[in-house]
Amino acid sequence: MSTIDRTRLESLIAREEQRYRAEHPASRSLYSRSTHLFGRVPMTWMNKWAGGFPLGFSHARGATVTDLDGHELIDFALGDTGAMAGHSPAPLVAAVADRIGTRGGVTTMLPSEDAELVAAELSRRFGLAEWSFSLSATDANRWMLRLARLVTGRPKVLVFSYSYHGTVDETFVVAEGGRAVSRAGNVGAAVDPATTTRVVEFNDVEALREQLGHGDVAAVLTEPALTNIGIVLPEPGFLEAVRAACDETGTLLIIDETHTFSAGPGGATRRFNLRPDALTIGKSLGGGVPCGAYGLSAELAARVRAAVAGGYDIVDVGGVGGTLAGNPLSLAAMRAVLSQVLTDEAFGPMEMLATRFAAGVESTIERYDLDWSVSQLGARCEYRFARPAPRNGGDSAASADEALEDYLHLYGVNRGILITPFHNMALMCPATTTTQVDAHQVMFESAVGELLDA
Ligand SMILES: Cc1ncc(COP(=O)(O)O)c(C=O)c1O
């Protein structure tokens, strides 16, 4: 196995940082004069990009973004999935212009015709009977957890260690020595999440059964494959065992498809033939126009209705809702994306490109005898600094290497290629081309070569 020379890595990072600073004066200037922004960026996580300041954004189309210095980059980050439909695809532009301009009206507190059409399409794809909307996947998860506690009368939720479901209080917890521990860096938690949440490692059926055996978990909230700590794929039979453990203990199963929608037109739920009680999704559904959705099985919807009849409020100030949720603009965007962009036919070519991407990365890993791995889920793939690929969140977290990530990210940006800042994720959209995938491969091989060639 090759080992990374850390001194060499540091000097390469310094070289790339220097080039980045020199070639991005407009981005640097935007950052330094943004003194009214907390952290000099619109959202503090934007400081995560490598290089000391993020690229200033000018415009984007299809699978490319252009920064303020006029560099056009191939975008494999795609807004960490928010732009999986590609940037500003024509049907989305037309639907948004029609909604805002021609017909008029962004938010009204009234149902539009698009809402039922979108809900019917989500039912066809994911199998859940009844749908509600939010403005983000985070809120879809939050509200679904409330409904789960309502119908089960149980206080806790169970998540897998190092999962991410948005800024949902109950989910910032990891498993340490069999105990639930607040995740490092958890900001201003209202209560210790160990009191609200049970947590086990992904792919550990026995631990899951044991924790659900306490009988106090309202719902298991999980992605079908973890995607926020690298991609951690489910082992054969694991998701079926999760369903069975939920059934045996009267626990609801909520599947979060926000990222795993990359697995196909009906996400991993359809691809793996899952049977969730509820499903949450957001991000790419509206092509980047803020939106989210949560679907309930017919049985769960009936249980919620029965519980609500007992005096709970899901109409006004009971804790589930938002005045902008379900607005006509979001729904027009979702309708356009589902009916004309991320169609049934769109996913095959996207997946083929991801397969080509992954094969290229794997060939470099093998050529340089690296203990790295690449994992794929449909149109999404990711390289990780561990081999074999980690089988749970804890192992995957342990394989993180910030310096290596910074190096690869900066090396890419300096050569016109963008991958997701929080890890090494690459996503294909309908506009991504073979040429773009091959450009990544040239960059990746060259970055690794400079690091390892004697
Ligand atoms: C699986 C999953 N669920 C939910 C969310 C939350 O999405 P948002 O930040 O758009 O609310 C994310 C965000 O990365 C996610 O990865």
Side-chain angles (χ1 to χ4, degrees), residues 370-386:
L370 286 161
D371 57 349
W372 300 0
S373 54
V374 57
S375 300
Q376 183 185 353
L377 184 65
R380 168 191 310 275
C381 47
E382 167 128 14
Y383 30 98
R384 204 76 194 149
F385 310 121

Side-chain angles (χ1 to χ4, degrees), residues 109-391:
M109 298 179 86
L110 297 169
S112 62
E113 286 180 323
D114 287 336
E116 169 58 19
L117 293 169
V118 169
E121 176 64 3
L122 291 172
S123 288
R124 182 188 74 81
R125 291 184 181 219
F126 296 104
L128 284 299
E130 297 183 33
W131 292 81
S132 263
F133 297 98
S134 60
L135 278 187
S136 67
T138 297
D139 272 344
N141 282 324
R142 253 188 216 131
W143 299 343
M144 208 42 250
L145 290 180
R146 278 188 176 253
L147 296 180
R149 283 192 293 257
L150 172 70
V151 298
T152 59
R154 296 177 177 181
K156 291 198 176 184
V157 302
L158 185 143
V159 295
F160 293 102
S161 197
Y162 288 99
S163 59
Y164 183 73
H165 297 282
T167 52
V168 179
D169 286 343
E170 295 93 327
T171 60
F172 285 96
V173 57
V174 294
E176 253 179 47
R179 286 189 322 118
V181 176
S182 185
R183 192 165 172 163
N186 190 0
V187 174
V191 294
D192 178 354
T195 63
T196 60
T197 310
R198 293 190 178 279
V199 59
V200 296
E201 290 287 3
F202 200 68
N203 280 321
D204 188 343
V205 181
E206 219 162 282
L208 174 72
R209 282 208 194 97
E210 190 189 317
Q211 291 297 321
L212 294 186
H214 292 280
D216 56 2
V217 174
V220 171
L221 171 61
T222 186
E223 294 183 276
L226 302 185
T227 64
N228 288 291
I229 189 78
I231 294 176
V232 179
L233 294 170
E235 289 174 350
F238 175 65
L239 295 172
E240 291 76 7
V242 172
R243 177 70 269 182
C246 286
D247 287 343
E248 281 156 24
T249 54
T251 310
L252 296 171
L253 176 59
I254 306 171
I255 293 286
D256 182 342
E257 284 279 7
T258 306
H259 278 182
T260 49
F261 189 22
S262 68
T269 293
R270 187 148 115 205
R271 184 167 186 148
F272 299 156
N273 202 19
L274 307 180
R275 291 181 299 108
D277 299 295
L279 186 145
T280 54
I281 188 166
K283 292 201 186 187
S284 59
L285 210 51
V289 174
C291 72
Y294 52 106
L296 290 74
S297 69
E299 191 199 342
L300 180 57
R303 286 176 71 186
V304 172
R305 271 190 282 275
V308 166
Y312 289 96
D313 173 13
I314 55 167
V315 175
D316 195 359
V317 287
V320 175
T323 42
L324 294 178
N327 73 75
L329 177 64
S330 297
L331 283 153
M334 285 186 257
R335 182 182 176 185
V337 166
L338 289 171
S339 63
Q340 295 178 74
V341 188
L342 292 177
T343 57
D344 286 359
E345 297 73 35
F347 283 83
M350 287 156 66
E351 179 162 343
M352 275 167 56
L353 288 173
T355 303
R356 184 183 182 97
F357 187 106
V361 169
E362 178 62 27
S363 71
T364 302
I365 290 172
E366 283 173 17
R367 183 163 313 119
Y368 285 93
D369 195 23
L370 286 161
D371 57 349
W372 300 0
S373 54
V374 57
S375 300
Q376 183 185 353
L377 184 65
R380 168 191 310 275
C381 47
E382 167 128 14
Y383 30 98
R384 204 76 194 149
F385 310 121
R387 193 175 183 88
R391 60 180 295 265

